[in-house]
Structure formats: C-alpha cells, structure tokens
Amino acid sequence: MNTVADERVTEVWERLVREAQQSGYIVNTDDAFAKDLVRGLLENEARYGYRACPCRLASGVASEDQDIVCPCDYRDADLDEYGTCYCGLYVSPEVSRGERTGGSIPDRRPVGGVSARGEEMEQVSMKGLAFPVWRCRVCGYLCARPQPPLVCPVCKAGKERFERFM
Amino acid sequence: MLEPKHVEGIHNEHKVFLYALSTCGWCRKTKALLQELGIAYDYIDVDEQQGPDRELAKQEVLKWNPSLSFPTMVLDDKESVIGFSEARIRRIVSE
Ligand code: SF4
C-alpha cells in the first residue's frame, strides 16, 4: 500500500528529526529505514485517525491504542535497555554512533494493550498542594498546574498521555 | 477466509510462513532477506485484514507467538521465529 505521497513522508520525517534533536532524542540515521517507518505512521494515521506504531497491530479504537501512539509509552524504557525503540525509529546515542547495535527487540507492550496494563500508577498523596502534579507517560516530564499541557513540551506527546502523579 | 500471498523462490525445501504488518520495518527486512536468498514463502499482512479475517489472523499468530508481535515466522509448521532474525533466515537455505 502506498497511499502517502513521498513529499509528505519527507516533510514529516524532517520534522521528527528536528523535534527529536531539540528534545534530546535521536531518529535512526539509516534514513531509508526511518522514512519507511514514517510512511507507516502516516498510513496508520490515514486508516485509524492516529499515528499508531507501525510495528504493532492497532485495534482501531483510539482509547485502546493510546499507549502505542508514536512516540509510544515504551520508547524510553526500550532506549535505556536496548538502545532502540521497538520499531527502530528512535535510537540511543551509542547506537547512532555505531558503538552498539540496535536491531529487532522483544515487545514490552502487554498483549491487549491499555486494557491489559492494569491499574493506573499509584498516586502519591500529598495534602495541601496548590496544584495537582501531572506526569507524561511517554517521557516522565512533571508539571504542577490545574490541567496537563495540550502538548508535552519535552516529547510532544498529547494531553491524553498525562496521568495524575501527585 | 485468509488468503496468504505467495512469493516464489528457488529454495522451497522448507515451508516458510510469515505473519507480518505492511508498515513494520523489521517485517520489511524479513521479506527482503527471504527474497534476496531466493526462499519461497507465504505471508499475510495482518494489518491489511478486515473484520473477521483480522481476528482469525490474530488467533493464528497467538498460537505461535503469545506476545502477538511481528514479524512472526513459522518454519515447517513447527518452529516459530519471532522478530527479524537474520541468522535464522540464512540458516533456512543451508538446512
Ligand atoms: S517510538 Fe514506539 S511507536 Fe514510535 S516507532 Fe518507536 S516503537 Fe513505534
């Protein structure tokens, strides 16, 4: 299936590379491989309405796939452990410099996705806080404000990816 | 009814069946290597299946790979290979 125009793929890929750089992430330097994944993200956006991970089977129900909207909730843990996200779109500095090989890694997402993930994280209870504290599930960014931000200033994940932390 | 696609190859000593996603990079690498080595195989892009076929395909993958991840390659109806394993694919030709 090749429904997404090449120019669009390049445009989005360039943006992801730039945004990654600004926030301390690295897009795989194998450009052809990364661009194919970006094409997959855009194909998924066209068929499901959101950029579901190209290497995981989306359910088509946005609320069930929230954890695998790119960047997924599992990216940072995989970068730490394996030096690459599950798809290989993002890699660690070591992998990008060729000091370590990334490759195909096991999927840490539980089968069934969000519904199988179990309870929300345990909330720290703190009396007397002027504001609730919100945590970005993707990158761990914390902020104290009435509502989470529309977009995470660090990793660009949407508001719906935040959970109440304190 | 699932309708796997067939790719011809000069090596057909082994039955190679691939469950893949059309958008996944490691699936693409798996297909490319099979083709490069001339290994005949059948595949289903599970993400391109609709309705009951999608569920059916998922159930089949689960039989071989409880984590329902892709690519899942099944060799001779008895061995499952999960993820892109260049070494395992290369061994298909020499076995
Ligand atoms: S960050 Fe997650 S969703 Fe995005 S490409 Fe990597 S594995 Fe897939």
Side-chain angles (χ1 to χ4, degrees), chain A residues 1 33 36-37 40 43-44 47-48 54-58 86-88 103-104 107 111, chain B residues 21-26 28-29 46-48 54 58 62 66-70 83-84:
Chain A
M1 207 171 61
F33 186 76
D36 274 339
L37 291 169
E43 274 170 12
N44 279 349
R47 40 183 180 183
Y48 306 122
C55 309
R56 294 179 168 112
L57 185 63
Y86 181 60
C87 291
S104 184
D107 190 2
V111 179
Chain B
L21 298 178
S22 67
T23 49
C24 152
W26 301 117
R28 201 172 289 121
K29 281 204 188 277
V46 179
D47 59 324
E48 306 230 304
R54 196 171 172 111
K58 265 167 75 173
L62 278 169
S67 69
L68 189 64
S69 62
F70 300 90
F84 171 59

Side-chain angles (χ1 to χ4, degrees), chain B residues 17 19 25-26 28 32 34 38 66 76 84 86:
Chain B
F17 197 98
Y19 294 95
W26 301 117
R28 201 172 289 121
L34 287 168
D76 294 320
F84 171 59
E86 178 167 352

